[in-house]
Amino acid sequence: MEMFERTYIEEARHRVGERITLAGWVSRTRDLKKIRFIVLRDRTGEIQVVVKPDTPEMFNLSLGREDVLSVTGKAVESDVAKAGVEFLPDGIEVINRSQQPLPVDILENKKSDLDTRLNWRFLDFRSPTTNAIFRVQNALVTAFRDYLSGNGYMEFQPPCIIGSASEGGADLFAIPYFEKMAYLAQSPQLYKQMCAMSFEKVFTITPIWRAEKFNTPTHLNEIRQMDIEQTFADDETVMDVLEKTLVHMLEEAKEKTADQLELLGRELTIPKTPFRRVTYTNAIEMLQGAGEPILWGDDFTKTQEALLTELVGDEAFFLKDWPGEQKTFYAMPYDKEDERDARYLEETYGSTEIGDRLVRAFDCLYGGIEISSGTMRIHLPELLKERIRYKGLNPDNFEYYVGAFRYGAPPHAGWSIGLERITMTVTGQSNIRECCMFPRDRDRLVP
RNA sequence: GCCCUGGUAGUAUAGUCAGGCCCAGUAUGUCCGGCUGUCACCCGGACGAUCCCGGGUUCGAAUCCCGGCCAGGGCGCCA
């Protein structure tokens, strides 16, 4: 293909009168007896190309949807065209043809089913709604990375293939690894803690896998996590980081993808910091007061999370001080013998006794769903082993983990945001598959 | 893994409850023709469906029954 100097459509609007070359896809054509309109699209927008019969080589050129063209000519202002600017070509080159008809309706006249669109995902990306979702997602990712990089956090890359299967909870995917068995990582947890113990403030954006046989609109077997970890920090330290990071992400999305959010019908409100801190115990009381059959110690269902959001009345808030049995073994328990912990427990609960059952873990709810959770970690090997036993697990199976804290481990804490989950909330989607370019669920492995 | 609902042209749907009137209707699409600068252009014509797969009931099945696969939703599960 002959190379040419290309101008993007958005830029062309500001270069009226200059001879330039556009390149992109045919969105649709409107052919009349004495005039022809070709709607050309590139990553920056659409423009109407106007062809008159006095140029028969262009007027009679056969064109189909999604054919790839380069069009040379000039943009002109027009009071007839709805967009205000249109394009008068002096040459059109067909760079590649698209097969017809298209297997999905990317103009969304008769919007194809999600399953059909996922089968043709590369074409679906060209439809306005899908395109907008991933542009918003990109703005969120970029803002996450920029905010943390700008505040002294170092990005690191954890391994995705791991050797140990002895991690209590979720099911792992086993894969053959030469003469051994290996597993797909279901969390960068240990790795981010190990990195933090040298680099102090770290973050990563990494895929994780869970072999859970869940089959819901909010679960995938492969997701991307945005994680941070930092030293000399407790749960409140990183909750503060979380709310600032989240607000920055939302502000950036609102500013950088205003057009996309409008197309998606989203009016983003930026929650005010600091977010309200609601204790788990208080949340249980609120739900019980609303007639929910829930007991202290239970986890919240999705409906209860939504109801709680209504009761709290804030778009974003924290749920903190969880019962130890609800959270992972490495969550730091309160210590009522510690002076500061005792004062906090006394102020919050009127007694220090409950401290024996609470850990310094938190969830962040935004728009009615849990988008992030985190904890202050246990950095003391003996306490860690005690908590592993408390959870009914065998400390011998966790020696690889406990051992990482024997050589000068400072107190530390961290959290994790699910990328697809937050994209769902921000873009207003109810199925998480809409928010993952190539989702992996229980049945789907392609494309 | 359980429950509910569904699977019909490229896409999206009607028809299924009450089997025959359906060699399957409509919209959109594709192709062809026509046409006041259109903008979801419009108008006309044509094309396009093993009615998800397998089995059964029946004179007769898109329609009823059984099994399977897949999809959407609800629940469960969830470091």
Side-chain angles (χ1 to χ4, degrees):
Chain A
M1 192 183 88
E2 196 184 1
M3 297 305 286
F4 49 87
E5 193 180 332
R6 178 188 180 195
T7 303
Y8 285 107
I9 287 168
E10 180 56 37
E11 193 192 340
R13 292 186 214 289
H14 307 292
R15 290 178 58 184
V16 168
E18 287 179 55
R19 191 166 185 276
I20 52 180
T21 299
L22 308 177
W25 292 262
V26 175
S27 258
R28 50 158 64 90
T29 57
R30 291 186 283 269
D31 291 334
L32 283 74
K33 173 97 171 173
K34 290 177 181 166
I35 196 164
R36 163 178 233 193
F37 303 99
I38 303 162
V39 181
L40 188 74
R41 183 190 73 245
D42 69 16
R43 67 180 185 84
T44 66
E46 286 187 340
I47 197 165
Q48 174 167 280
V49 178
V50 184
V51 184
K52 298 272 176 66
D54 57 0
T55 51
E57 72 287 355
M58 291 194 287
F59 193 76
N60 298 321
L61 182 64
S62 154
L63 289 174
R65 291 186 176 188
E66 299 308 307
D67 283 347
V68 180
L69 307 182
S70 71
V71 183
T72 301
K74 54 190 178 185
V76 294
E77 279 171 9
S78 160
D79 34 352
V80 207
K82 278 186 175 174
V85 174
E86 57 189 12
F87 199 77
L88 301 180
D90 53 53
I92 296 177
E93 186 195 346
V94 177
I95 293 168
N96 202 358
R97 294 281 184 186
S98 168
Q99 193 172 304
Q100 303 293 341
L102 303 175
V104 283
D105 177 10
I106 62 176
L107 292 179
E108 300 179 345
N109 292 334
K110 291 273 183 255
K111 189 163 179 168
S112 304
D113 292 341
L114 176 58
D115 193 53
T116 308
R117 290 188 287 115
L118 289 175
N119 286 336
W120 294 96
R121 198 53 147 161
F122 70 94
L123 277 177
D124 183 42
F125 290 152
R126 300 178 196 175
S127 76
T129 307
T130 305
N131 197 279
I133 290 169
F134 291 107
R135 284 179 190 253
V136 173
Q137 182 172 76
N138 177 251
L140 293 169
V141 170
T142 304
F144 172 84
R145 183 173 272 133
D146 286 352
Y147 182 80
L148 292 169
S149 290
N151 282 281
Y153 291 76
M154 189 179 91
E155 184 164 5
F156 74 99
Q157 289 75 33
C160 291
I161 299 176
I162 57 173
S164 173
S166 53
E167 305 196 7
D171 296 315
L172 295 113
F173 286 106
I175 53 168
Y177 194 78
F178 303 111
E179 55 283 344
K180 297 174 186 165
M181 281 313 282
Y183 304 88
L184 295 179
Q186 40 107 289
S187 162
Q189 188 57 39
L190 172 61
Y191 301 96
K192 62 179 183 167
Q193 290 183 266
M194 292 198 291
C195 288
M197 278 183 266
S198 289
F199 300 106
E200 299 217 44
K201 292 164 78 173
V202 298
F203 76 94
T204 188
I205 303 173
T206 188
I208 60 148
W209 296 266
R210 302 219 174 136
E212 304 287 348
K213 293 178 177 176
F214 33 46
N215 190 226
T216 85
T218 54
H219 284 94
L220 292 173
N221 291 294
E222 177 182 84
I223 62 166
R224 260 105 323 228
Q225 274 193 0
M226 301 189 281
D227 277 53
I228 76 150
E229 194 72 24
Q230 69 179 284
T231 52
F232 301 100
D234 63 14
D235 50 341
E236 280 291 342
T237 316
V238 292
M239 284 159 78
D240 184 62
V241 177
L242 175 54
E243 61 191 13
K244 288 188 170 116
T245 306
L246 183 62
V247 163
H248 181 75
M249 289 165 72
L250 296 172
E251 281 172 347
E252 285 291 295
K254 188 170 182 169
E255 188 195 323
K256 302 271 167 63
T257 53
D259 293 349
Q260 285 76 19
L261 288 166
E262 192 191 338
L263 188 145
L264 293 164
R266 302 299 289 171
E267 186 92 29
L268 277 198
T269 52
I270 310 296
K272 293 220 169 17
T273 54
F275 296 173
R276 189 177 304 188
R277 270 66 168 163
V278 179
T279 64
Y280 168 87
T281 305
N282 190 214
I284 292 287
E285 286 163 2
M286 290 168 82
L287 286 171
Q288 285 173 341
E292 280 294 310
I294 189 168
L295 296 173
W296 200 95
D298 291 346
D299 199 355
F300 307 108
T301 65
K302 267 183 290 180
T303 9
Q304 286 167 339
E305 279 179 359
L307 175 61
L308 195 54
T309 302
E310 235 174 86
L311 294 169
V312 172
D314 290 358
E315 190 166 29
F317 61 94
F318 287 110
L319 274 177
K320 62 176 293 194
D321 294 355
W322 285 72
E325 62 260 38
Q326 277 294 337
K327 291 289 176 183
T328 162
F329 67 84
Y330 55 73
M332 181 66 91
Y334 279 100
D335 176 9
K336 65 185 182 192
E337 308 303 325
D338 175 88
E339 194 186 323
R340 281 163 59 189
D341 280 11
R343 198 184 319 127
Y344 170 80
L345 292 166
E346 190 69 48
E347 279 170 10
T348 310
Y349 299 98
S351 150
T352 57
E353 283 313 304
I354 197 168
D356 291 338
R357 304 184 63 184
L358 298 180
V359 294
R360 303 181 68 147
F362 60 89
D363 284 357
C364 180
L365 273 82
Y366 173 65
I369 66 166
E370 178 198 324
I371 56 146
S372 176
S373 61
T375 58
M376 179 181 185
R377 328 294 192 187
I378 300 174
H379 59 287
L380 307 168
E382 288 315 307
L383 178 57
L384 203 44
K385 284 165 81 171
E386 187 189 315
R387 298 299 289 187
I388 290 167
R389 266 184 241 109
Y390 166 80
K391 279 283 187 178
L393 302 167
N394 182 357
D396 294 346
N397 294 337
F398 292 86
E399 189 45 38
Y400 74 97
Y401 181 78
V402 178
F405 306 100
R406 291 211 169 93
Y407 300 89
H412 57 289
W415 47 254
S416 163
I417 298 175
L419 174 60
E420 291 84 358
R421 284 270 178 99
I422 194 174
T423 308
M424 264 177 98
T425 314
V426 173
T427 61
Q429 300 304 302
S430 53
N431 191 317
I432 198 165
R433 279 152 261 252
E434 297 279 8
C435 300
C436 179
M437 286 190 163
F438 303 102
R440 292 289 172 263
D441 62 32
R442 216 178 146 185
D443 287 295
R444 181 175 288 280
L445 271 170
V446 288

